[in-house]
Amino acid sequence: MIARRITYIAASFCTVLAIVIAGTNGIGNPWVRWHADYATGVGEFETVALPDGTIAHLNTASAFSIDFSGNDRRIELSVGEVIFDVAKDVEHPFIVTASGGEAMAVGTVYGVRIDDEQVDVTVQEGIVEVRNETGNAIRLTAGEQGFYRSGDAPDVYKDADISTYGSWQRGKLIFNSRALGDVINEVQRYKNEKIIIARDSLRDLKVTGVFETTNLDDLLNSLEQTVGATVVRLPLLTVIY
């Protein structure tokens, strides 16, 4: 009995350790930071002026490099999310490459986000052309969101609402009837410790609220009152069940 309990504890510890290691944000890899021209750590935000006058707003755990040496202005987004307020230059298109695709504009405001194996493109002003290795392309106008995955043609989100897009620039995360699973995926980007939902029935429960990015523990604490979940905090790990 004792041996079985020890084995169970050891297996549980190994499982937690594996989850924590596997769940680290890409920016945690020092190679990403060292090889990027611009980068933010987990929970950090930064606004930088690029050599062409473009303003780049980096969200948490994001990194990109630039190459303005040719006929176009190229950005390679390695991880995370950046909103670009692009300086207009019709002779030098502004192209953001990420995960096998690209989003091209001349003078506009748009964001590019890598989310696991998918890339999202959100246009706040102007027009952006999105294409990937399939050779297919779509054009997004202000207020539209598109996405692409490796091997699939780019597509447009139906009935996209970008009214709260970029709220992290104001230090807030805004959720309007979002599934708890999606909310936790978003919160994870801002925290070093791994967050897991241990009870699948909780994943689809809806969450609505405005939360400060500097104090996302308030969101986790509120889950006990709003969705009846229990939140347990361990070193490097938060479990919701």
Side-chain angles (χ1 to χ4, degrees):
M1 186 69 175
I2 294 176
R4 184 185 302 174
R5 182 173 297 178
I6 292 174
T7 301
Y8 174 80
I9 293 173
S12 298
F13 175 78
C14 290
T15 300
V16 169
L17 183 60
I19 289 172
V20 171
I21 292 173
T24 56
N25 289 310
I27 198 67
N29 183 342
W31 288 104
V32 174
R33 177 180 290 276
W34 293 340
H35 283 80
D37 294 330
Y38 305 92
T40 53
V42 175
E44 296 179 349
F45 309 91
E46 188 171 356
T47 296
V48 297
L50 304 185
D52 67 331
T54 292
I55 303 300
H57 306 277
L58 289 83
N59 199 353
T60 175
S62 301
F64 71 91
S65 296
I66 67 173
D67 181 3
F68 290 176
S69 60
N71 294 326
D72 47 32
R73 298 169 287 171
R74 288 196 169 268
I75 303 289
E76 182 181 356
L77 180 63
S78 303
V79 66
E81 178 182 22
V82 183
I83 296 177
F84 299 95
D85 188 345
V86 181
K88 189 171 184 179
D89 183 350
V90 294
E91 296 183 356
H92 299 89
F94 191 92
I95 302 172
V96 179
T97 62
S99 300
E102 63 180 38
M104 181 179 69
V106 176
T108 185
V109 180
Y110 70 110
V112 181
R113 166 174 167 154
I114 298 175
D115 196 355
D116 294 329
E117 297 181 355
Q118 178 171 299
V119 177
D120 291 338
V121 179
T122 304
V123 181
Q124 293 180 304
E125 296 179 16
I127 300 173
V128 176
E129 182 178 274
V130 180
R131 66 174 63 245
N132 66 355
E133 79 280 2
T134 65
N136 295 290
I138 58 174
R139 302 196 84 186
L140 301 174
T141 59
E144 290 186 319
Q145 288 181 310
F147 64 94
Y148 62 84
R149 306 181 189 91
S150 180
D152 295 331
D155 202 354
V156 181
Y157 282 112
K158 306 303 180 186
D159 301 320
D161 179 7
I162 71 165
S163 59
T164 62
Y165 178 73
S167 61
W168 51 265
Q169 293 177 269
R170 306 189 301 275
K172 301 180 185 300
L173 293 184
I174 302 175
F175 303 109
N176 183 16
S177 194
R178 287 277 297 277
L180 178 60
D182 293 338
V183 169
I184 295 304
N185 287 341
E186 185 66 24
V187 171
Q188 181 68 80
R189 298 165 68 93
Y190 297 82
K191 299 182 74 64
N192 282 303
E193 70 266 25
K194 180 66 178 176
I195 307 172
I196 64 173
I197 301 175
R199 183 151 49 103
D200 288 340
S201 60
L202 294 174
R203 294 184 179 276
D204 293 330
L205 296 180
K206 302 303 181 183
V207 176
T208 296
V210 180
F211 304 93
E212 301 290 333
T213 57
T214 55
N215 192 16
L216 289 174
D217 284 344
D218 281 352
L219 185 154
L220 296 175
N221 293 335
S222 72
L223 295 179
E224 297 186 342
Q225 287 76 40
T226 57
V227 299
T230 299
V231 180
V232 177
R233 290 181 173 83
L234 303 170
L236 300 179
L237 179 67
T238 296
V239 181
I240 303 169
Y241 70 93

